[in-house]
Amino acid sequence: MNKTAKSTCDSDRQSKKVKTSHGSTQGTQGQKADVKGCAAEKDACSPGPERSSESSHTMQKRSQKEAKSTRSDSPSSQQHLMKTSPAEDEKSDADLYRDEDEIQKELQDKQQTESGVSFFPSVAAGEAQSSVSAAEDLQTYSQREWKGNTTKSLLIRKGYETIASEFKLRRVRGDNYCALRATLFQVLSQSKQLPAWLRDSDIREWPKETPSDQDFIKEWKFPFETSKSKVRHLEQCLERLKQRWEESVQCRSLEERERLCQEVFRGHDEEYELLEALKFLMLRTAIHLHSDMEKGSDVPEFCWLLFARDSSRCPKTFFTNHLRHVGFSGGLEQVEMCLLGYSLQQTMQVVRLYKCETEEFIIYYPNDHKKDWPTLCLLTEDDRHYNVLVSQNSSKFDEYGRPKWNLPSDGQPSKTTRL
């Protein structure tokens, strides 16, 4: 892949309003429309000042100018990473998941945050609300949440209908950790064995091995207070991740796995420690991949996009401007989803509902994945918030969790057909 042809991915997507979902209260469409202004006031997946729409737009224009002469050389397998999500109609600013009481409570939490109270009040209060809801029928959910007759509503409903016979939906809490949370849930709910990198390594030692001259650990942010040093706390996060992953592999039934997930995804400190562990794995992988790039070694194609952004030219700026803020003021961008999948050695198959009836309806993060990696199934309506898909019929899926009707081949996106 021509290095000069790489450009930024999803750089102006941060300027759009984002919907969030919660696994609890559901309001009527009328209620949601009435509180449209409140929902717009606090967007649970909105970017922070470091990732503003203005800087992102400038970054994209500069990158496009640099790559203009050679962009035609970019492989089709990476095209979707360089596009922005439309996800815009007259209802795009409204929060279609929460009712008025829930939004008002979140606005109160925001005011408390601005007054110096914990950024994660639910964690501090020790609430036991599940972060991932029980499985529900896709078409029932679609008809309830997308009642309008706009072009987008019709398209989203059609997307749900396309996969409704094969999957059920588990909604994921809609904070800025949603992509990490949905991925972790799928890992714990379906892993059959530990990956080699987790089985054969003492990951507790990895924070100590992080380059100290870059001050990565010193600048780490946690969503909860701790008396431990940041290095020791990250060691604990990684230790918990390995422990829970081992427990999931040892589960002998779906009921055991469900109990395990219910223990983890309660909004308590442990859940956020596991999510921070995933962020550390992403940082460690980014450091190694960038080092390989500088040595001229082969790296996955997404690396050139990851480090082509002006705000992410090296691991240090990637951490400072992007990864450090995930969960706080922004979520994962598409190219960062590739990094997450590569870090875990899991292929994430994502159904993108707003791309229904196109070749990008189902894509894979990373696209140039290993064929023997397990596959995790996620769903998104807008490339910002991610929910979990649960298979209803295992006979149509291979041993790695990939649907037999749509296997990825040679790193190229395949055209999706109706199930």
Side-chain angles (χ1 to χ4, degrees):
M1 192 172 189
N2 193 328
K3 298 181 183 179
T4 61
K6 314 302 171 189
S7 66
T8 61
C9 69
D10 292 340
S11 52
D12 69 340
R13 59 194 279 269
Q14 299 296 337
S15 61
K16 308 292 185 184
K17 289 292 181 182
V18 183
K19 296 185 302 176
T20 62
S21 71
H22 290 251
S24 55
T25 310
Q26 296 293 325
T28 64
Q29 195 71 13
Q31 288 174 318
K32 294 165 185 172
D34 292 340
V35 296
K36 178 176 179 180
C38 295
E41 182 176 342
K42 183 177 188 303
D43 187 340
C45 291
S46 60
E50 296 83 1
R51 304 168 76 170
S52 67
S53 59
E54 180 179 0
S55 61
S56 296
H57 182 66
T58 302
M59 180 174 61
Q60 184 187 47
K61 291 182 65 178
R62 186 182 299 113
S63 178
Q64 289 175 343
K65 184 177 180 181
E66 293 173 353
K68 183 176 181 180
S69 62
T70 56
R71 178 167 295 174
S72 59
D73 296 333
S74 299
S76 60
S77 62
Q78 297 296 312
Q79 291 300 319
H80 65 276
L81 296 179
M82 304 169 69
K83 298 176 181 178
T84 58
S85 166
E88 50 189 17
D89 59 31
E90 63 270 27
K91 294 183 181 296
S92 61
D93 289 344
D95 191 323
L96 301 181
Y97 292 91
R98 299 174 294 168
D99 65 12
E100 184 173 6
D101 292 340
E102 192 169 0
I103 293 175
Q104 289 294 343
K105 181 180 184 303
E106 186 171 87
L107 292 175
Q108 292 174 1
D109 292 340
K110 178 182 178 182
Q111 294 173 354
Q112 292 177 338
T113 299
E114 294 171 348
S115 301
V117 181
S118 171
F119 184 81
F120 290 84
S122 63
V123 178
E127 295 178 2
Q129 179 181 350
S130 176
S131 299
V132 182
S133 71
E136 60 181 304
D137 179 71
L138 277 174
Q139 284 192 285
T140 301
Y141 174 81
S142 169
Q143 292 168 2
R144 182 178 70 242
E145 299 298 331
W146 293 90
K147 296 180 179 179
N149 290 319
T150 64
T151 300
K152 181 181 176 182
S153 294
L154 294 173
L155 183 64
I156 296 296
R157 286 205 303 269
K158 187 174 184 62
Y160 276 116
E161 180 183 357
T162 301
I163 61 173
S165 63
E166 297 299 326
F167 294 101
K168 287 189 175 182
L169 177 73
R170 299 191 72 147
R171 290 169 294 154
V172 175
R173 177 175 292 168
D175 59 18
N176 292 315
Y177 281 102
C178 66
L180 293 169
R181 180 178 290 110
T183 301
L184 178 63
F185 181 89
Q186 290 293 62
V187 164
L188 297 183
S189 65
Q190 68 184 53
S191 290
K192 296 180 179 179
Q193 62 181 11
L194 290 178
W197 62 266
L198 187 61
R199 182 177 62 249
D200 302 333
S201 305
D202 186 359
I203 64 174
R204 294 171 298 180
E205 298 297 318
W206 289 355
K208 297 176 183 177
E209 300 170 1
T210 304
S212 58
D213 59 325
Q214 298 291 325
D215 290 334
F216 290 112
I217 308 303
K218 182 179 179 181
E219 296 181 12
W220 203 276
K221 294 197 300 183
F222 292 98
F224 38 75
E225 295 182 1
T226 176
S227 59
K228 302 182 182 70
S229 68
K230 292 185 177 182
V231 170
R232 178 67 189 96
H233 201 174
L234 278 175
E235 291 173 356
Q236 176 179 306
C237 294
L238 292 168
E239 187 175 12
R240 280 184 180 272
L241 176 63
K242 184 173 184 178
Q243 175 188 346
R244 286 301 193 179
W245 205 323
E246 288 174 340
E247 290 177 5
S248 72
V249 170
Q250 294 168 4
C251 287
R252 293 171 293 180
S253 67
L254 293 177
E255 290 74 18
E256 285 188 37
R257 286 183 181 271
E258 181 66 21
R259 284 194 294 270
L260 172 64
C261 290
Q262 287 179 359
E263 289 179 9
V264 171
F265 296 95
R266 295 184 299 169
H268 291 179
D269 286 2
E270 180 190 14
E271 177 182 338
Y272 290 95
E273 286 179 340
L274 296 175
L275 301 177
E276 289 298 318
L278 298 189
K279 287 170 58 177
F280 177 81
L281 295 177
M282 292 175 65
L283 172 62
R284 185 174 186 271
T285 302
I287 292 173
H288 289 169
L289 290 174
H290 188 265
S291 176
D292 288 342
M293 288 175 63
E294 291 187 321
K295 295 175 184 176
S297 302
D298 290 336
V299 295
E301 291 180 338
F302 72 82
C303 294
W304 301 106
L305 299 176
L306 181 68
F307 295 115
R309 303 177 295 184
D310 288 350
S311 60
S312 180
R313 293 292 187 183
C314 64
K316 176 61 176 178
T317 53
F318 164 62
F319 172 73
T320 302
N321 298 326
H322 294 270
L323 188 62
R324 183 169 178 262
H325 305 286
V326 171
F328 294 83
S329 57
L332 292 182
E333 298 184 16
Q334 285 180 273
V335 71
E336 294 160 0
M337 291 287 286
C338 290
L339 177 63
L340 174 60
Y342 193 88
S343 301
L344 298 176
Q345 294 187 8
Q346 310 273 321
T347 296
M348 287 182 282
Q349 173 191 285
V350 179
V351 178
R352 306 164 81 201
L353 296 177
Y354 78 97
K355 290 290 187 179
C356 182
E357 297 186 323
T358 74
E359 292 186 352
E360 296 177 1
F361 180 44
I362 295 180
I363 59 175
Y364 297 86
Y365 298 132
N367 210 344
D368 50 347
H369 54 273
K370 305 298 182 183
K371 291 186 177 181
D372 59 345
W373 287 2
T375 296
L376 315 176
C377 296
L378 306 180
L379 176 142
T380 182
E381 295 174 349
D382 53 15
D383 285 336
R384 294 171 178 83
H385 179 75
Y386 293 86
N387 285 320
V388 166
L389 287 176
V390 181
S391 172
Q392 296 193 75
N393 185 358
S394 60
S395 65
K396 290 191 176 183
F397 293 78
D398 65 18
E399 60 181 313
Y400 302 113
R402 299 191 185 98
K404 296 177 181 178
W405 50 270
N406 192 39
L407 284 173
S409 59
D410 301 326
Q412 299 293 329
S414 54
K415 187 173 181 63
T416 301
T417 56
R418 185 180 177 88
L419 288 168

